[in-house]
Amino acid sequence: MTVTNRPLRVDTDRGDYPADLYRFDHPADVVPGLERVGDAEVRRYLDEGYLAVAPALTGGQVDEALAGLQALLLDPRDADVEFEAWAADRLDELDGEERFNAVRKFMWFVGADERLRRISQDERLLTVVRRLAGTDDVVMMQDMALLKPPGGGREKPWHQDNAFFNLEPDTPTVGVWIALDRATPENGCMHVISESHREGPAPHFMRRDWQLCDDDVQTSRDVVVPLPPGGALFFNGLIHHGTPANRTNLRRRAVQFHYVPRSAVKVTEDEHLAVFGLEGRGATC
């Protein structure tokens, strides 16, 4: 296999997490298809901060997404590829599927692969996004693929996505997380804290990742969101969400897009950190 000569990035493994940080006894309701997202479903999203829909992509689109990600391993071009920490000293030995199974994250790939770009601009997805964002004029501001390799895909701690964006804190960001494999409670599917987006921005801390304090997560409100391949979770940029580690022998790959109104207002890093990043400002976790 010929791989484009490009510096490799490896994730920093920051350790394990409390065993009771995720619950699995309250599964999300799932809307049976994008065409079934009506006024009642939009109201539910606005109330609860999330909406699960399956199917959202066709089987052919799922195959195209996976083929596009596989191609980026050979030629990332302007995309960014990050490998799991445990693979740091093994990358030269890995090829094909083994190498794919060592990837933690792809970013900025829609400009590098036409198949992935088409999915990000799928009109059926965008119709739902526009309704949830409350405007017909939305733009995609971020694209990424989050992979949990079998037996080694680490946790993504509880967080709010708006904590990662230098935008006004209450910007109506719509995240679209799309499963490319069957996402199960065992292999690290999404978890959300229903209605937490109503509570506004919360301070984040650099612990296992840029995250909410474990002690502040309202686990009694945890909703687990298993999805089939092609199923999607639409979620508000302020909802608390996370994914536990994949400790199975099954892959859990997903692509994720973030959309905002074109009128979204940027803020400075200092303004952003004054709201979301209290580390070093006297806060503790």
Side-chain angles (χ1 to χ4, degrees):
M1 178 178 71
T2 301
V3 180
T4 298
N5 186 16
R6 180 185 176 92
L8 298 177
R9 290 206 309 116
V10 178
D11 176 49
T12 300
D13 189 347
R14 297 187 176 91
D16 217 333
Y17 53 91
D20 61 352
L21 197 54
Y22 299 90
R23 292 182 51 170
F24 302 90
D25 56 347
H26 185 185
D29 293 330
V30 179
V31 179
L34 293 170
E35 70 283 355
R36 300 290 292 273
V37 178
D39 292 343
E41 287 71 28
V42 172
R43 287 194 298 271
R44 190 199 313 171
Y45 171 88
L46 296 175
D47 288 343
E48 299 180 353
Y50 71 96
L51 190 70
V53 181
L57 296 188
T58 66
Q61 287 176 304
V62 170
D63 291 342
E64 285 201 333
L66 289 170
L69 295 177
Q70 183 79 61
L72 292 176
L73 285 177
L74 298 177
D75 182 10
R77 286 179 277 177
D78 293 328
D80 189 21
V81 184
E82 179 180 288
F83 291 89
E84 290 281 358
W86 54 262
D89 58 357
R90 299 177 51 201
L91 288 176
D92 290 342
E93 306 168 8
L94 301 179
D95 203 349
E97 287 297 300
E98 286 185 333
R99 192 174 182 86
F100 201 178
N101 284 343
V103 175
R104 176 175 182 263
K105 179 167 64 175
F106 293 93
M107 288 195 70
W108 316 121
F109 48 71
V110 296
D113 189 273
E114 176 61 21
R115 291 162 290 196
L116 292 162
R117 188 202 67 80
R118 285 197 302 267
I119 290 170
S120 74
Q121 298 303 306
D122 183 283
E123 190 58 32
R124 300 172 309 129
L125 284 177
L126 291 179
T127 296
V128 174
V129 168
R130 293 180 188 116
R131 297 194 68 184
L132 302 182
T135 176
D136 287 336
D137 195 8
V138 297
V139 294
M140 188 186 70
M141 62 165 292
Q142 187 189 73
D143 55 286
M144 61 194 306
L146 300 169
L147 283 59
K148 288 189 186 290
R154 76 172 176 87
E155 175 212 23
K156 177 65 175 178
W158 291 97
H159 64 283
Q160 297 172 303
D161 278 357
N162 278 12
F164 289 81
F165 308 138
N166 283 5
L167 299 171
E168 288 186 334
D170 59 352
T171 297
T173 307
V174 179
V176 185
W177 189 97
I178 305 171
L180 300 180
D181 300 299
R182 182 167 295 279
T184 70
E186 294 78 20
N187 70 6
C189 71
M190 285 279 272
H191 290 243
V192 297
I193 302 296
S194 181
E195 302 182 12
S196 57
H197 66 302
R198 295 183 175 191
E199 296 157 17
H204 285 57
F205 304 85
M206 185 55 72
R207 295 298 184 262
R208 299 184 302 281
D209 203 326
W210 185 239
Q211 66 176 89
L212 297 166
C213 187
D214 290 341
D215 291 341
D216 292 337
V217 178
Q218 300 295 312
T219 55
S220 63
R221 294 156 54 191
D222 181 358
V223 178
V224 61
V225 192
L227 289 170
L233 175 67
F234 296 82
F235 60 101
N236 184 285
L238 286 176
I239 199 168
H240 301 185
H241 64 289
T243 59
N246 178 9
R247 306 194 192 282
T248 74
N249 61 357
L250 301 174
R251 295 183 291 198
R252 196 241 63 187
R253 296 168 294 189
V255 290
Q256 181 171 300
F257 307 110
H258 284 97
Y259 303 88
V260 295
R262 191 179 299 275
S263 59
V265 176
K266 294 183 178 180
V267 299
T268 67
E269 181 75 0
D270 284 346
E271 290 171 324
H272 172 76
L273 291 177
V275 176
F276 285 106
L278 298 179
E279 190 83 73
R281 296 171 185 260
T284 59
C285 178

PDB file of all heavy atoms in Angstrom, residues 71-86:
ATOM      1  N   ALA A  71     -10.302   5.870   1.390  1.00  0.00           N
ATOM      2  CA  ALA A  71      -9.422   6.517   0.414  1.00  0.00           C
ATOM      3  C   ALA A  71      -8.547   7.574   1.066  1.00  0.00           C
ATOM      4  O   ALA A  71      -7.409   7.805   0.632  1.00  0.00           O
ATOM      5  CB  ALA A  71     -10.269   7.142  -0.697  1.00  0.00           C
ATOM      6  N   LEU A  72      -9.040   8.225   2.114  1.00  0.00           N
ATOM      7  CA  LEU A  72      -8.258   9.267   2.784  1.00  0.00           C
ATOM      8  C   LEU A  72      -7.027   8.697   3.487  1.00  0.00           C
ATOM      9  O   LEU A  72      -6.073   9.429   3.758  1.00  0.00           O
ATOM     10  CB  LEU A  72      -9.130  10.023   3.785  1.00  0.00           C
ATOM     11  CG  LEU A  72     -10.241  10.883   3.185  1.00  0.00           C
ATOM     12  CD1 LEU A  72     -11.095  11.493   4.286  1.00  0.00           C
ATOM     13  CD2 LEU A  72      -9.666  11.965   2.284  1.00  0.00           C
ATOM     14  N   LEU A  73      -7.048   7.411   3.810  1.00  0.00           N
ATOM     15  CA  LEU A  73      -5.860   6.805   4.404  1.00  0.00           C
ATOM     16  C   LEU A  73      -4.711   6.744   3.405  1.00  0.00           C
ATOM     17  O   LEU A  73      -3.535   6.802   3.777  1.00  0.00           O
ATOM     18  CB  LEU A  73      -6.179   5.398   4.910  1.00  0.00           C
ATOM     19  CG  LEU A  73      -6.989   5.307   6.193  1.00  0.00           C
ATOM     20  CD1 LEU A  73      -7.277   3.848   6.526  1.00  0.00           C
ATOM     21  CD2 LEU A  73      -6.259   5.971   7.350  1.00  0.00           C
ATOM     22  N   LEU A  74      -5.040   6.608   2.127  1.00  0.00           N
ATOM     23  CA  LEU A  74      -4.012   6.552   1.082  1.00  0.00           C
ATOM     24  C   LEU A  74      -3.579   7.947   0.657  1.00  0.00           C
ATOM     25  O   LEU A  74      -2.403   8.164   0.355  1.00  0.00           O
ATOM     26  CB  LEU A  74      -4.550   5.781  -0.121  1.00  0.00           C
ATOM     27  CG  LEU A  74      -4.936   4.324   0.124  1.00  0.00           C
ATOM     28  CD1 LEU A  74      -5.519   3.714  -1.147  1.00  0.00           C
ATOM     29  CD2 LEU A  74      -3.730   3.529   0.584  1.00  0.00           C
ATOM     30  N   ASP A  75      -4.532   8.875   0.626  1.00  0.00           N
ATOM     31  CA  ASP A  75      -4.224  10.234   0.176  1.00  0.00           C
ATOM     32  C   ASP A  75      -5.085  11.222   0.953  1.00  0.00           C
ATOM     33  O   ASP A  75      -6.166  11.604   0.504  1.00  0.00           O
ATOM     34  CB  ASP A  75      -4.490  10.355  -1.330  1.00  0.00           C
ATOM     35  CG  ASP A  75      -4.134  11.736  -1.868  1.00  0.00           C
ATOM     36  OD1 ASP A  75      -3.515  12.525  -1.124  1.00  0.00           O
ATOM     37  OD2 ASP A  75      -4.478  12.016  -3.028  1.00  0.00           O
ATOM     38  N   PRO A  76      -4.625  11.660   2.131  1.00  0.00           N
ATOM     39  CA  PRO A  76      -5.432  12.572   2.952  1.00  0.00           C
ATOM     40  C   PRO A  76      -5.651  13.928   2.307  1.00  0.00           C
ATOM     41  O   PRO A  76      -6.624  14.607   2.613  1.00  0.00           O
ATOM     42  CB  PRO A  76      -4.592  12.709   4.237  1.00  0.00           C
ATOM     43  CG  PRO A  76      -3.655  11.570   4.238  1.00  0.00           C
ATOM     44  CD  PRO A  76      -3.385  11.254   2.803  1.00  0.00           C
ATOM     45  N   ARG A  77      -4.743  14.347   1.433  1.00  0.00           N
ATOM     46  CA  ARG A  77      -4.800  15.687   0.842  1.00  0.00           C
ATOM     47  C   ARG A  77      -4.968  16.721   1.954  1.00  0.00           C
ATOM     48  O   ARG A  77      -4.118  16.794   2.835  1.00  0.00           O
ATOM     49  CB  ARG A  77      -5.897  15.755  -0.220  1.00  0.00           C
ATOM     50  CG  ARG A  77      -5.485  15.018  -1.499  1.00  0.00           C
ATOM     51  CD  ARG A  77      -6.550  15.057  -2.553  1.00  0.00           C
ATOM     52  NE  ARG A  77      -7.551  14.020  -2.348  1.00  0.00           N
ATOM     53  CZ  ARG A  77      -8.621  13.860  -3.088  1.00  0.00           C
ATOM     54  NH1 ARG A  77      -8.860  14.698  -4.084  1.00  0.00           N
ATOM     55  NH2 ARG A  77      -9.458  12.880  -2.854  1.00  0.00           N
ATOM     56  N   ASP A  78      -6.046  17.492   1.970  1.00  0.00           N
ATOM     57  CA  ASP A  78      -6.203  18.524   3.004  1.00  0.00           C
ATOM     58  C   ASP A  78      -6.936  18.014   4.237  1.00  0.00           C
ATOM     59  O   ASP A  78      -7.196  18.778   5.161  1.00  0.00           O
ATOM     60  CB  ASP A  78      -6.961  19.725   2.428  1.00  0.00           C
ATOM     61  CG  ASP A  78      -6.164  20.453   1.363  1.00  0.00           C
ATOM     62  OD1 ASP A  78      -4.916  20.464   1.480  1.00  0.00           O
ATOM     63  OD2 ASP A  78      -6.766  20.990   0.419  1.00  0.00           O
ATOM     64  N   ALA A  79      -7.306  16.746   4.253  1.00  0.00           N
ATOM     65  CA  ALA A  79      -7.991  16.190   5.424  1.00  0.00           C
ATOM     66  C   ALA A  79      -6.977  15.924   6.535  1.00  0.00           C
ATOM     67  O   ALA A  79      -5.769  15.856   6.317  1.00  0.00           O
ATOM     68  CB  ALA A  79      -8.711  14.898   5.046  1.00  0.00           C
ATOM     69  N   ASP A  80      -7.487  15.780   7.749  1.00  0.00           N
ATOM     70  CA  ASP A  80      -6.658  15.515   8.918  1.00  0.00           C
ATOM     71  C   ASP A  80      -7.013  14.135   9.451  1.00  0.00           C
ATOM     72  O   ASP A  80      -8.201  13.820   9.623  1.00  0.00           O
ATOM     73  CB  ASP A  80      -6.937  16.589   9.978  1.00  0.00           C
ATOM     74  CG  ASP A  80      -5.961  16.533  11.134  1.00  0.00           C
ATOM     75  OD1 ASP A  80      -4.871  15.979  10.957  1.00  0.00           O
ATOM     76  OD2 ASP A  80      -6.301  17.039  12.220  1.00  0.00           O
ATOM     77  N   VAL A  81      -6.016  13.302   9.700  1.00  0.00           N
ATOM     78  CA  VAL A  81      -6.231  11.945  10.200  1.00  0.00           C
ATOM     79  C   VAL A  81      -5.513  11.802  11.530  1.00  0.00           C
ATOM     80  O   VAL A  81      -4.322  12.095  11.634  1.00  0.00           O
ATOM     81  CB  VAL A  81      -5.702  10.887   9.203  1.00  0.00           C
ATOM     82  CG1 VAL A  81      -6.031   9.482   9.711  1.00  0.00           C
ATOM     83  CG2 VAL A  81      -6.285  11.109   7.812  1.00  0.00           C
ATOM     84  N   GLU A  82      -6.245  11.357  12.551  1.00  0.00           N
ATOM     85  CA  GLU A  82      -5.658  11.156  13.878  1.00  0.00           C
ATOM     86  C   GLU A  82      -5.825   9.702  14.284  1.00  0.00           C
ATOM     87  O   GLU A  82      -6.922   9.151  14.201  1.00  0.00           O
ATOM     88  CB  GLU A  82      -6.345  12.066  14.897  1.00  0.00           C
ATOM     89  CG  GLU A  82      -5.827  11.923  16.320  1.00  0.00           C
ATOM     90  CD  GLU A  82      -6.553  12.847  17.290  1.00  0.00           C
ATOM     91  OE1 GLU A  82      -6.311  14.067  17.229  1.00  0.00           O
ATOM     92  OE2 GLU A  82      -7.374  12.354  18.075  1.00  0.00           O
ATOM     93  N   PHE A  83      -4.741   9.085  14.743  1.00  0.00           N
ATOM     94  CA  PHE A  83      -4.759   7.676  15.128  1.00  0.00           C
ATOM     95  C   PHE A  83      -4.888   7.531  16.643  1.00  0.00           C
ATOM     96  O   PHE A  83      -4.556   8.439  17.412  1.00  0.00           O
ATOM     97  CB  PHE A  83      -3.483   6.980  14.640  1.00  0.00           C
ATOM     98  CG  PHE A  83      -3.413   6.845  13.146  1.00  0.00           C
ATOM     99  CD1 PHE A  83      -2.848   7.846  12.365  1.00  0.00           C
ATOM    100  CD2 PHE A  83      -3.922   5.723  12.513  1.00  0.00           C
ATOM    101  CE1 PHE A  83      -2.785   7.728  10.987  1.00  0.00           C
ATOM    102  CE2 PHE A  83      -3.862   5.594  11.139  1.00  0.00           C
ATOM    103  CZ  PHE A  83      -3.296   6.599  10.374  1.00  0.00           C
ATOM    104  N   GLU A  84      -5.363   6.366  17.064  1.00  0.00           N
ATOM    105  CA  GLU A  84      -5.483   6.071  18.488  1.00  0.00           C
ATOM    106  C   GLU A  84      -4.106   5.987  19.144  1.00  0.00           C
ATOM    107  O   GLU A  84      -3.118   5.602  18.514  1.00  0.00           O
ATOM    108  CB  GLU A  84      -6.223   4.745  18.688  1.00  0.00           C
ATOM    109  CG  GLU A  84      -7.703   4.784  18.347  1.00  0.00           C
ATOM    110  CD  GLU A  84      -8.552   5.404  19.443  1.00  0.00           C
ATOM    111  OE1 GLU A  84      -7.994   5.781  20.493  1.00  0.00           O
ATOM    112  OE2 GLU A  84      -9.774   5.507  19.252  1.00  0.00           O
ATOM    113  N   ALA A  85      -4.049   6.352  20.429  1.00  0.00           N
ATOM    114  CA  ALA A  85      -2.774   6.385  21.143  1.00  0.00           C
ATOM    115  C   ALA A  85      -2.095   5.023  21.166  1.00  0.00           C
ATOM    116  O   ALA A  85      -0.870   4.924  21.046  1.00  0.00           O
ATOM    117  CB  ALA A  85      -3.002   6.899  22.563  1.00  0.00           C
ATOM    118  N   TRP A  86      -2.891   3.945  21.308  1.00  0.00           N
ATOM    119  CA  TRP A  86      -2.296   2.613  21.421  1.00  0.00           C
ATOM    120  C   TRP A  86      -1.600   2.172  20.140  1.00  0.00           C
ATOM    121  O   TRP A  86      -0.801   1.239  20.146  1.00  0.00           O
ATOM    122  CB  TRP A  86      -3.344   1.584  21.826  1.00  0.00           C
ATOM    123  CG  TRP A  86      -4.563   1.532  20.945  1.00  0.00           C
ATOM    124  CD1 TRP A  86      -5.762   2.137  21.177  1.00  0.00           C
ATOM    125  CD2 TRP A  86      -4.708   0.854  19.692  1.00  0.00           C
ATOM    126  NE1 TRP A  86      -6.640   1.883  20.150  1.00  0.00           N
ATOM    127  CE2 TRP A  86      -6.011   1.091  19.226  1.00  0.00           C
ATOM    128  CE3 TRP A  86      -3.849   0.068  18.934  1.00  0.00           C
ATOM    129  CZ2 TRP A  86      -6.493   0.584  18.026  1.00  0.00           C
ATOM    130  CZ3 TRP A  86      -4.316  -0.448  17.724  1.00  0.00           C
ATOM    131  CH2 TRP A  86      -5.631  -0.181  17.280  1.00  0.00           C
TER     132      TRP A  86
END
